Amino acid sequence: MTLTELKYVAALADELHFGRAAAACYVSQPTLSIAVKKLEQSLGVSLFERTRRGVGLTPLGQQVAARARELLAQAVGINDLVQSAREAPHGPLAIGALPSVGPYVLPQCIPLLQKTAPAMPLSVYEGPSSELARRLRSGELDAVITVAPFTMADIVCQPLFDEPLLALLPAHHPLAKKACIDTPDLDPTQMLLMAEGDELRESLLAIFPHLQTSAAGEHVRARVQGSTLESLRHMVASGLGISVLPQMAAQNSFYSPSLVASRPLADPTAMRSLVLAWRVSFPRHGAIELLKQALTACNGSGWAGGPATRSMGLLVDNNDW
Protein backbone atom coordinates (compact mmCIF):
# COMPACT_ATOMS: atom_id res chain seq x y z
CA MET A 1 0.00 0.00 0.00
CA THR A 2 1.44 3.36 -1.06
CA LEU A 3 0.41 6.96 -0.64
CA THR A 4 -0.12 7.14 -4.38
CA GLU A 5 -2.61 4.28 -4.25
CA LEU A 6 -4.41 5.92 -1.34
CA LYS A 7 -4.51 9.16 -3.32
CA TYR A 8 -6.20 7.33 -6.20
CA VAL A 9 -8.71 5.71 -3.82
CA ALA A 10 -9.59 9.06 -2.25
CA ALA A 11 -9.98 10.71 -5.65
CA LEU A 12 -12.19 7.93 -6.98
CA ALA A 13 -14.28 8.04 -3.81
CA ASP A 14 -14.78 11.78 -4.32
CA GLU A 15 -15.53 11.69 -8.04
CA LEU A 16 -17.14 8.21 -8.40
CA HIS A 17 -15.89 8.35 -11.98
CA PHE A 18 -12.61 6.89 -13.23
CA GLY A 19 -12.03 9.56 -15.87
CA ARG A 20 -12.59 12.52 -13.56
CA ALA A 21 -10.58 10.89 -10.74
CA ALA A 22 -7.67 10.26 -13.12
CA ALA A 23 -7.79 13.87 -14.30
CA ALA A 24 -7.78 15.10 -10.70
CA CYS A 25 -4.62 13.06 -10.08
CA TYR A 26 -3.00 14.10 -13.37
CA VAL A 27 -2.66 10.50 -14.58
CA SER A 28 -4.28 8.46 -17.31
CA GLN A 29 -7.48 6.56 -16.58
CA PRO A 30 -5.86 3.11 -17.10
CA THR A 31 -3.08 4.04 -14.66
CA LEU A 32 -5.55 4.92 -11.92
CA SER A 33 -7.83 1.96 -12.65
CA ILE A 34 -4.98 -0.57 -12.56
CA ALA A 35 -3.56 0.90 -9.32
CA VAL A 36 -6.94 0.75 -7.53
CA LYS A 37 -7.53 -2.81 -8.73
CA LYS A 38 -4.03 -3.81 -7.57
CA LEU A 39 -4.70 -2.37 -4.12
CA GLU A 40 -8.01 -4.24 -3.85
CA GLN A 41 -6.29 -7.46 -4.82
CA SER A 42 -3.52 -6.97 -2.27
CA LEU A 43 -6.11 -6.29 0.45
CA GLY A 44 -8.36 -9.12 -0.69
CA VAL A 45 -11.50 -6.93 -0.64
CA SER A 46 -13.56 -4.77 -3.00
CA LEU A 47 -13.52 -1.08 -2.21
CA PHE A 48 -15.66 -0.04 -5.17
CA GLU A 49 -18.69 -1.46 -6.90
CA ARG A 50 -18.36 -1.23 -10.66
CA THR A 51 -21.63 -1.36 -12.63
CA ARG A 52 -22.80 -0.22 -16.05
CA ARG A 53 -24.37 2.83 -14.38
CA GLY A 54 -21.19 3.91 -12.71
CA VAL A 55 -18.93 3.47 -9.69
CA GLY A 56 -19.99 3.20 -6.07
CA LEU A 57 -18.27 2.68 -2.75
CA THR A 58 -18.69 -0.47 -0.72
CA PRO A 59 -19.28 0.04 3.02
CA LEU A 60 -15.68 -0.98 3.67
CA GLY A 61 -14.57 1.26 0.79
CA GLN A 62 -16.17 4.24 2.52
CA GLN A 63 -14.14 3.56 5.66
CA VAL A 64 -10.93 2.99 3.72
CA ALA A 65 -11.46 6.18 1.70
CA ALA A 66 -12.02 8.19 4.90
CA ARG A 67 -8.84 6.77 6.45
CA ALA A 68 -6.95 7.41 3.20
CA ARG A 69 -7.92 11.08 3.34
CA GLU A 70 -6.64 11.29 6.94
CA LEU A 71 -3.31 9.68 6.02
CA LEU A 72 -2.86 11.92 2.98
CA ALA A 73 -3.52 14.99 5.14
CA GLN A 74 -0.92 13.77 7.64
CA ALA A 75 1.58 13.26 4.82
CA VAL A 76 1.01 16.82 3.67
CA GLY A 77 1.50 17.97 7.26
CA ILE A 78 4.83 16.15 7.46
CA ASN A 79 5.95 17.79 4.24
CA ASP A 80 4.91 21.20 5.54
CA LEU A 81 6.76 20.54 8.80
CA VAL A 82 9.96 19.63 6.97
CA GLN A 83 9.66 22.60 4.64
CA SER A 84 9.09 24.90 7.59
CA ALA A 85 12.18 23.51 9.34
CA ARG A 86 14.21 24.12 6.19
CA GLU A 87 13.12 27.72 5.84
CA ALA A 88 12.54 28.86 9.41
CA PRO A 89 15.36 30.87 11.03
CA HIS A 90 15.75 28.75 14.15
CA GLY A 91 18.24 26.20 15.37
CA PRO A 92 22.01 26.67 15.75
CA LEU A 93 24.14 27.82 12.82
CA ALA A 94 27.90 27.18 12.70
CA ILE A 95 29.82 29.83 10.77
CA GLY A 96 33.47 29.87 9.75
CA ALA A 97 35.51 32.89 8.67
CA LEU A 98 39.05 33.82 7.71
CA PRO A 99 41.04 35.70 10.39
CA SER A 100 41.26 38.62 7.97
CA VAL A 101 37.47 38.68 7.54
CA GLY A 102 35.63 37.51 10.65
CA PRO A 103 36.74 40.11 13.22
CA TYR A 104 35.64 42.95 10.93
CA VAL A 105 32.48 41.60 9.27
CA LEU A 106 30.81 39.56 12.01
CA PRO A 107 30.44 42.35 14.60
CA GLN A 108 28.33 44.16 11.98
CA CYS A 109 26.54 41.06 10.72
CA ILE A 110 25.65 39.35 13.99
CA PRO A 111 23.43 42.10 15.48
CA LEU A 112 21.41 42.07 12.25
CA LEU A 113 20.98 38.30 12.50
CA GLN A 114 20.01 38.55 16.17
CA LYS A 115 17.20 40.93 15.22
CA THR A 116 15.89 38.92 12.27
CA ALA A 117 16.49 35.44 13.75
CA PRO A 118 16.62 35.59 17.57
CA ALA A 119 16.01 31.83 17.80
CA MET A 120 19.10 30.99 15.73
CA PRO A 121 22.13 30.78 18.06
CA LEU A 122 25.48 31.14 16.30
CA SER A 123 28.83 29.47 16.80
CA VAL A 124 31.86 30.98 15.10
CA TYR A 125 35.14 29.38 14.08
CA GLU A 126 38.08 31.37 12.73
CA GLY A 127 40.81 29.69 10.73
CA PRO A 128 42.70 29.45 7.43
CA SER A 129 40.99 28.63 4.16
CA SER A 130 42.15 25.00 4.16
CA GLU A 131 40.66 24.39 7.60
CA LEU A 132 37.43 26.17 6.70
CA ALA A 133 37.13 23.90 3.66
CA ARG A 134 37.76 20.76 5.72
CA ARG A 135 35.24 21.67 8.41
CA LEU A 136 32.64 22.72 5.85
CA ARG A 137 33.02 19.44 3.98
CA SER A 138 32.79 17.38 7.17
CA GLY A 139 29.67 19.19 8.40
CA GLU A 140 31.35 20.85 11.39
CA LEU A 141 30.54 24.20 9.78
CA ASP A 142 27.29 25.09 8.02
CA ALA A 143 28.64 28.09 6.08
CA VAL A 144 31.95 29.90 5.68
CA ILE A 145 32.82 33.50 4.87
CA THR A 146 35.98 33.56 2.82
CA VAL A 147 37.51 35.11 -0.29
CA ALA A 148 37.41 34.04 -3.92
CA PRO A 149 38.47 31.77 -5.40
CA PHE A 150 36.95 29.07 -3.17
CA THR A 151 36.09 26.07 -5.34
CA MET A 152 35.04 22.70 -3.95
CA ALA A 153 32.89 19.85 -5.20
CA ASP A 154 29.30 19.94 -3.90
CA ILE A 155 29.79 23.40 -2.41
CA VAL A 156 27.70 26.43 -3.35
CA CYS A 157 29.73 29.64 -3.46
CA GLN A 158 27.98 32.99 -3.89
CA PRO A 159 29.61 36.44 -4.04
CA LEU A 160 28.92 38.94 -1.27
CA PHE A 161 30.84 42.08 -2.24
CA ASP A 162 34.21 43.35 -3.45
CA GLU A 163 36.44 45.15 -1.00
CA PRO A 164 39.28 47.51 -2.00
CA LEU A 165 42.75 47.15 -0.58
CA LEU A 166 44.31 50.27 0.95
CA ALA A 167 47.83 51.33 1.77
CA LEU A 168 48.39 51.80 5.50
CA LEU A 169 51.15 54.24 6.39
CA PRO A 170 52.65 55.96 9.40
CA ALA A 171 51.11 59.42 9.46
CA HIS A 172 54.55 61.05 9.04
CA HIS A 173 55.47 58.88 6.03
CA PRO A 174 56.12 60.83 2.78
CA LEU A 175 53.47 58.78 0.94
CA ALA A 176 50.83 60.00 3.39
CA LYS A 177 50.94 63.33 1.57
CA LYS A 178 49.58 61.67 -1.58
CA ALA A 179 45.86 61.24 -2.21
CA CYS A 180 46.42 57.96 -4.08
CA ILE A 181 49.30 55.48 -4.00
CA ASP A 182 50.76 54.20 -7.27
CA THR A 183 52.18 50.69 -7.52
CA PRO A 184 55.84 51.81 -7.83
CA ASP A 185 55.40 53.80 -4.60
CA LEU A 186 55.14 50.57 -2.62
CA ASP A 187 58.75 50.00 -1.59
CA PRO A 188 59.27 46.27 -0.86
CA THR A 189 62.05 47.11 1.59
CA GLN A 190 59.47 48.91 3.75
CA MET A 191 56.60 46.50 3.23
CA LEU A 192 55.16 44.53 6.15
CA LEU A 193 53.40 41.33 5.05
CA MET A 194 51.77 38.31 6.66
CA ALA A 195 53.49 34.94 6.83
CA GLU A 196 53.87 32.62 3.86
CA GLY A 197 50.68 30.71 3.13
CA ASP A 198 48.39 33.47 4.34
CA GLU A 199 45.63 34.11 1.78
CA LEU A 200 45.94 37.89 1.92
CA ARG A 201 49.73 37.79 1.53
CA GLU A 202 49.49 35.55 -1.53
CA SER A 203 46.85 37.81 -3.07
CA LEU A 204 49.01 40.90 -2.55
CA LEU A 205 52.05 39.27 -4.13
CA ALA A 206 49.93 38.25 -7.12
CA ILE A 207 48.73 41.84 -7.59
CA PHE A 208 52.10 43.45 -6.78
CA PRO A 209 54.79 40.91 -7.76
CA HIS A 210 57.54 43.48 -7.20
CA LEU A 211 56.94 43.12 -3.46
CA GLN A 212 58.61 39.71 -3.56
CA THR A 213 62.08 41.22 -3.41
CA SER A 214 63.76 44.59 -3.24
CA ALA A 215 65.77 46.12 -6.08
CA ALA A 216 68.92 44.66 -4.52
CA GLY A 217 67.41 41.18 -4.49
CA GLU A 218 66.79 41.16 -0.77
CA HIS A 219 63.62 39.76 0.69
CA VAL A 220 60.84 42.03 1.81
CA ARG A 221 61.53 43.76 5.07
CA ALA A 222 59.31 41.73 7.39
CA ARG A 223 56.94 38.83 7.54
CA VAL A 224 54.65 38.67 10.55
CA GLN A 225 54.70 34.95 11.26
CA GLY A 226 51.48 33.54 12.68
CA SER A 227 50.07 36.98 13.40
CA THR A 228 47.04 39.04 12.42
CA LEU A 229 46.12 42.19 10.57
CA GLU A 230 46.00 43.91 13.96
CA SER A 231 49.71 43.17 14.39
CA LEU A 232 50.43 44.78 11.03
CA ARG A 233 48.49 47.88 12.06
CA HIS A 234 50.40 48.11 15.33
CA MET A 235 53.71 47.77 13.50
CA VAL A 236 52.74 50.49 11.01
CA ALA A 237 51.65 52.75 13.86
CA SER A 238 55.03 52.15 15.47
CA GLY A 239 56.75 53.40 12.33
CA LEU A 240 58.28 50.03 11.39
CA GLY A 241 57.08 50.16 7.80
CA ILE A 242 54.06 50.30 5.51
CA SER A 243 51.48 47.68 4.59
CA VAL A 244 48.50 46.97 2.36
CA LEU A 245 45.31 45.89 4.14
CA PRO A 246 41.67 45.31 3.24
CA GLN A 247 39.55 48.41 3.69
CA MET A 248 37.69 46.96 6.68
CA ALA A 249 40.97 46.53 8.53
CA ALA A 250 42.80 49.61 7.27
CA GLN A 251 40.01 52.01 8.22
CA ASN A 252 39.17 50.30 11.50
CA SER A 253 41.86 51.76 13.71
CA PHE A 254 42.11 52.67 17.36
CA TYR A 255 44.95 55.00 16.44
CA SER A 256 44.48 58.72 15.85
CA PRO A 257 45.17 60.24 12.42
CA SER A 258 48.38 61.60 13.89
CA LEU A 259 49.77 58.06 14.00
CA VAL A 260 48.43 56.17 10.94
CA ALA A 261 46.92 57.07 7.59
CA SER A 262 45.20 54.98 4.92
CA ARG A 263 45.28 55.80 1.22
CA PRO A 264 43.59 54.20 -1.82
CA LEU A 265 45.69 52.37 -4.39
CA ALA A 266 45.72 53.43 -8.03
CA ASP A 267 45.71 49.83 -9.30
CA PRO A 268 42.04 48.92 -10.05
CA THR A 269 42.77 45.24 -9.39
CA ALA A 270 43.78 45.98 -5.79
CA MET A 271 40.74 44.41 -4.18
CA ARG A 272 39.45 41.12 -2.87
CA SER A 273 36.08 39.42 -3.38
CA LEU A 274 34.26 38.07 -0.33
CA VAL A 275 32.07 35.01 -0.82
CA LEU A 276 29.69 32.87 1.23
CA ALA A 277 29.96 29.11 0.78
CA TRP A 278 27.85 26.19 2.01
CA ARG A 279 27.18 22.55 1.15
CA VAL A 280 24.72 21.80 -1.64
CA SER A 281 23.02 19.33 0.70
CA PHE A 282 22.55 21.82 3.57
CA PRO A 283 18.76 21.91 4.00
CA ARG A 284 18.19 25.20 5.86
CA HIS A 285 17.98 27.53 2.90
CA GLY A 286 16.21 30.20 4.94
CA ALA A 287 19.08 30.43 7.44
CA ILE A 288 21.63 30.80 4.63
CA GLU A 289 19.57 33.51 2.98
CA LEU A 290 19.30 35.49 6.23
CA LEU A 291 23.06 35.18 6.76
CA LYS A 292 23.75 36.32 3.21
CA GLN A 293 21.43 39.32 3.59
CA ALA A 294 23.11 40.35 6.84
CA LEU A 295 26.58 40.04 5.34
CA THR A 296 25.65 41.97 2.22
CA ALA A 297 24.21 44.74 4.38
CA CYS A 298 27.64 45.10 6.01
CA ASN A 299 29.19 46.35 2.77
CA GLY A 300 30.28 49.92 3.41
CA SER A 301 28.35 50.18 6.68
CA GLY A 302 31.41 51.11 8.74
CA TRP A 303 33.51 48.32 10.14
CA ALA A 304 33.59 47.33 13.79
CA GLY A 305 36.60 45.76 15.42
CA GLY A 306 37.03 42.14 16.40
CA PRO A 307 37.20 42.63 20.21
CA ALA A 308 33.56 43.76 20.23
CA THR A 309 32.52 40.27 19.19
CA ARG A 310 33.35 38.91 22.62
CA SER A 311 30.38 40.68 24.19
CA MET A 312 27.76 39.26 21.82
CA GLY A 313 27.11 35.97 23.56
CA LEU A 314 28.70 33.83 20.84
CA LEU A 315 30.33 30.46 21.11
CA VAL A 316 33.73 31.29 19.59
CA ASP A 317 35.96 28.35 18.72
CA ASN A 318 39.75 28.21 18.86
CA ASN A 319 40.08 31.26 21.16
CA ASP A 320 41.08 33.36 18.19
CA TRP A 321 39.27 36.56 19.23
Side-chain angles (χ1 to χ4, degrees):
M1 185 184 304
T2 66
L3 288 175
T4 299
E5 291 171 339
L6 294 179
K7 178 181 177 181
Y8 294 162
V9 167
L12 187 55
D14 291 337
E15 300 292 343
L16 295 179
H17 187 280
F18 279 96
R20 292 195 298 270
C25 295
Y26 301 99
V27 297
S28 66
Q29 180 174 330
T31 297
L32 183 139
S33 180
I34 291 172
V36 172
K37 189 65 177 177
K38 179 183 176 182
L39 178 60
E40 289 178 319
Q41 290 175 348
S42 67
L43 295 175
V45 296
S46 293
L47 303 177
F48 297 92
E49 295 178 354
R50 299 162 178 84
T51 66
R52 292 182 178 180
R53 293 187 298 177
V55 181
L57 279 163
T58 66
L60 182 58
Q62 292 178 353
Q63 298 179 50
V64 171
R67 185 63 63 86
R69 294 187 188 97
E70 294 176 3
L71 292 174
L72 290 170
Q74 292 177 11
V76 171
I78 292 174
N79 183 70
D80 291 343
L81 177 64
V82 172
Q83 186 67 20
S84 175
R86 292 175 61 180
E87 301 299 332
H90 58 72
L93 188 69
I95 303 172
L98 290 174
S100 64
V101 174
Y104 308 99
V105 171
L106 291 178
Q108 293 291 329
C109 166
I110 289 170
L112 296 177
L113 276 176
Q114 290 179 329
K115 290 181 180 179
T116 57
M120 188 171 69
L122 303 175
S123 62
V124 177
Y125 169 79
E126 182 184 275
S129 181
S130 58
E131 187 64 13
L132 294 181
R134 185 191 71 78
R135 294 192 178 212
L136 181 62
R137 188 183 297 110
S138 68
E140 297 174 66
L141 294 175
D142 300 320
V144 300
I145 309 157
T146 183
V147 295
F150 188 80
T151 305
M152 296 169 53
D154 300 322
I155 297 296
V156 180
C157 191
Q158 290 191 0
L160 294 170
F161 53 85
D162 293 333
E163 180 192 15
L165 303 175
L166 303 181
L168 192 67
L169 317 159
H172 57 77
H173 195 281
L175 290 179
K177 299 177 182 179
K178 302 187 64 173
C180 187
I181 307 299
D182 296 315
T183 297
D185 293 334
L186 299 175
D187 185 350
T189 63
Q190 300 182 25
M191 185 62 57
L192 302 170
L193 296 175
M194 296 291 285
E196 288 190 28
D198 179 82
E199 287 85 1
L200 179 59
R201 177 184 184 277
E202 299 305 319
S203 297
L204 289 177
L205 294 182
I207 299 172
F208 307 113
H210 78 286
L211 296 181
Q212 290 278 6
T213 56
S214 70
E218 299 170 347
H219 287 290
V220 294
R221 177 175 179 179
R223 295 185 182 91
V224 186
Q225 297 286 343
S227 192
T228 65
L229 299 186
E230 297 303 307
S231 296
L232 289 180
R233 290 199 308 170
H234 297 329
M235 295 177 72
V236 170
S238 300
L240 296 180
I242 65 176
S243 189
V244 174
L245 275 65
Q247 179 183 7
M248 62 179 69
Q251 294 186 341
N252 171 35
S253 179
F254 299 110
Y255 296 110
S256 71
S258 63
L259 287 177
V260 294
S262 62
R263 296 290 183 268
L265 297 167
D267 191 332
T269 66
M271 62 176 54
R272 65 176 183 176
S273 298
L274 271 67
V275 297
L276 179 64
W278 66 93
R279 294 182 304 283
V280 172
S281 59
F282 186 65
R284 296 170 56 200
H285 302 160
I288 293 294
E289 184 60 28
L290 285 175
L291 175 59
K292 182 180 178 182
Q293 291 175 5
L295 289 168
T296 303
C298 292
N299 184 17
S301 62
W303 308 106
T309 310
R310 289 188 178 273
S311 65
M312 293 186 176
L314 300 177
L315 172 58
V316 181
D317 193 4
N318 212 27
N319 296 319
D320 289 310
W321 294 353

Coordinates of all heavy atoms in Angstrom, one line a residue, residues 5-6 8 10 41 45 48 59 84 113 117 126 137 145 185 189 193 234 248 254 262 278 289 298 304 316:
E5 N -1.4 5.1 -4.1 CA -2.6 4.3 -4.3 C -3.7 4.9 -3.4 O -4.9 4.9 -3.8 CB -2.3 2.8 -3.8 CG -1.4 2.1 -4.8 CD -0.9 0.8 -4.3 OE1 -1.0 0.6 -3.1 OE2 -0.5 -0.1 -5.1
L6 N -3.4 5.3 -2.2 CA -4.4 5.9 -1.3 C -4.9 7.2 -2.0 O -6.1 7.5 -1.8 CB -3.8 6.2 0.0 CG -3.4 5.0 0.9 CD1 -2.8 5.4 2.2 CD2 -4.6 4.1 1.1
Y8 N -5.3 7.7 -5.2 CA -6.2 7.3 -6.2 C -7.5 6.9 -5.6 O -8.6 7.2 -6.1 CB -5.6 6.2 -7.0 CG -4.4 6.6 -7.8 CD1 -3.5 5.6 -8.3 CD2 -4.1 7.9 -8.1 CE1 -2.4 5.9 -9.1 CE2 -3.0 8.3 -8.8 CZ -2.1 7.3 -9.3 OH -1.0 7.6 -10.0
A10 N -8.9 7.9 -2.7 CA -9.6 9.1 -2.2 C -10.2 9.9 -3.4 O -11.3 10.3 -3.3 CB -8.6 9.9 -1.4
Q41 N -6.8 -6.1 -4.8 CA -6.3 -7.5 -4.8 C -5.3 -7.7 -3.7 O -5.4 -8.8 -3.1 CB -5.6 -7.7 -6.2 CG -6.6 -7.8 -7.3 CD -5.9 -7.9 -8.7 OE1 -4.6 -7.8 -8.8 NE2 -6.6 -8.2 -9.7
V45 N -10.1 -7.4 -0.8 CA -11.5 -6.9 -0.6 C -11.8 -6.0 -1.8 O -10.9 -5.6 -2.6 CB -11.7 -6.1 0.7 CG1 -11.4 -7.0 1.9 CG2 -10.7 -4.9 0.7
F48 N -14.7 -0.7 -4.3 CA -15.7 0.0 -5.2 C -16.5 -1.1 -5.9 O -16.1 -2.2 -6.2 CB -14.9 0.8 -6.2 CG -14.1 1.9 -5.6 CD1 -12.7 1.7 -5.3 CD2 -14.6 3.2 -5.4 CE1 -12.0 2.7 -4.8 CE2 -13.9 4.2 -4.8 CZ -12.6 4.0 -4.5
P59 N -19.4 -0.5 1.6 CA -19.3 0.0 3.0 C -17.8 0.1 3.5 O -17.4 1.1 4.2 CB -20.1 -0.9 3.8 CG -21.1 -1.4 2.8 CD -20.4 -1.5 1.5
S84 N 9.0 23.8 6.6 CA 9.1 24.9 7.6 C 10.4 24.9 8.3 O 11.1 25.9 8.6 CB 7.9 24.8 8.6 OG 8.1 25.8 9.6
L113 N 21.5 39.7 12.4 CA 21.0 38.3 12.5 C 20.2 38.1 13.8 O 19.2 37.4 13.8 CB 22.1 37.3 12.4 CG 22.6 36.9 11.0 CD1 23.7 35.9 11.1 CD2 21.4 36.2 10.2
A117 N 16.6 36.9 13.4 CA 16.5 35.4 13.7 C 17.0 35.2 15.2 O 18.0 34.6 15.4 CB 17.3 34.6 12.8
E126 N 37.2 30.6 13.6 CA 38.1 31.4 12.7 C 39.3 30.5 12.4 O 39.9 29.9 13.3 CB 38.5 32.6 13.5 CG 39.4 33.6 12.7 CD 39.8 34.7 13.6 OE1 39.1 35.7 13.6 OE2 40.9 34.6 14.2
R137 N 33.3 20.7 4.6 CA 33.0 19.4 4.0 C 32.6 18.4 5.0 O 31.7 17.5 4.7 CB 34.3 19.0 3.3 CG 34.1 17.7 2.4 CD 35.4 17.3 1.8 NE 36.0 18.3 0.9 CZ 37.0 19.0 1.1 NH1 37.7 18.8 2.2 NH2 37.5 19.9 0.2
I145 N 32.6 32.2 5.5 CA 32.8 33.5 4.9 C 34.3 33.6 4.5 O 35.2 33.6 5.4 CB 32.4 34.6 5.8 CG1 31.0 34.4 6.4 CG2 32.5 36.0 5.1 CD1 30.8 35.1 7.7
D185 N 55.2 53.1 -5.9 CA 55.4 53.8 -4.6 C 55.6 52.8 -3.5 O 56.1 53.1 -2.4 CB 54.2 54.7 -4.3 CG 54.1 55.9 -5.2 OD1 55.2 56.3 -5.8 OD2 53.0 56.5 -5.4
T189 N 61.2 47.1 0.4 CA 62.1 47.1 1.6 C 61.4 47.7 2.8 O 61.8 47.5 3.9 CB 63.3 47.9 1.3 OG1 63.0 49.3 1.1 CG2 64.1 47.4 0.1
L193 N 54.3 42.3 5.6 CA 53.4 41.3 5.1 C 53.1 40.2 6.1 O 53.9 40.1 7.0 CB 53.9 40.7 3.8 CG 54.2 41.6 2.6 CD1 54.8 40.9 1.4 CD2 52.9 42.2 2.1
H234 N 49.6 47.6 14.2 CA 50.4 48.1 15.3 C 51.8 48.4 14.9 O 52.4 49.4 15.3 CB 50.4 47.1 16.4 CG 49.1 46.8 17.0 ND1 48.1 47.7 17.1 CD2 48.6 45.7 17.6 CE1 47.0 47.2 17.7 NE2 47.3 46.0 18.0
M248 N 38.3 47.1 5.4 CA 37.7 47.0 6.7 C 38.7 47.0 7.8 O 38.4 47.4 8.9 CB 36.9 45.7 6.7 CG 37.6 44.4 6.5 SD 36.6 42.9 6.5 CE 35.6 43.1 5.0
F254 N 42.2 52.0 16.1 CA 42.1 52.7 17.4 C 43.1 53.8 17.5 O 43.2 54.5 18.5 CB 42.3 51.7 18.5 CG 41.3 50.6 18.5 CD1 41.7 49.3 18.2 CD2 40.0 50.8 18.9 CE1 40.8 48.2 18.2 CE2 39.1 49.8 18.9 CZ 39.5 48.5 18.5
S262 N 45.5 55.9 6.0 CA 45.2 55.0 4.9 C 45.0 55.7 3.6 O 44.4 56.8 3.6 CB 44.0 54.1 5.3 OG 42.8 54.9 5.4
W278 N 28.5 27.2 1.2 CA 27.9 26.2 2.0 C 27.6 24.9 1.2 O 27.8 25.0 0.0 CB 26.5 26.7 2.6 CG 25.5 27.0 1.5 CD1 24.5 26.1 1.1 CD2 25.3 28.2 0.7 NE1 23.7 26.7 0.1 CE2 24.2 28.0 -0.1 CE3 26.0 29.4 0.7 CZ2 23.8 29.0 -1.0 CZ3 25.5 30.4 -0.2 CH2 24.4 30.2 -1.0
E289 N 20.0 32.3 3.6 CA 19.6 33.5 3.0 C 19.6 34.7 4.0 O 20.1 35.8 3.6 CB 18.2 33.4 2.4 CG 17.6 34.6 1.7 CD 18.5 34.9 0.5 OE1 19.1 34.0 -0.1 OE2 18.5 36.1 0.1
C298 N 26.4 44.6 5.4 CA 27.6 45.1 6.0 C 28.5 45.9 5.0 O 29.4 46.6 5.5 CB 28.5 44.0 6.6 SG 27.7 43.1 8.0
A304 N 33.3 47.4 12.3 CA 33.6 47.3 13.8 C 34.7 46.4 14.1 O 34.9 45.4 13.3 CB 32.3 46.9 14.5
V316 N 32.6 31.1 20.5 CA 33.7 31.3 19.6 C 34.8 30.2 19.8 O 35.3 30.0 20.8 CB 34.4 32.7 19.9 CG1 35.5 32.9 18.9 CG2 33.3 33.8 19.7

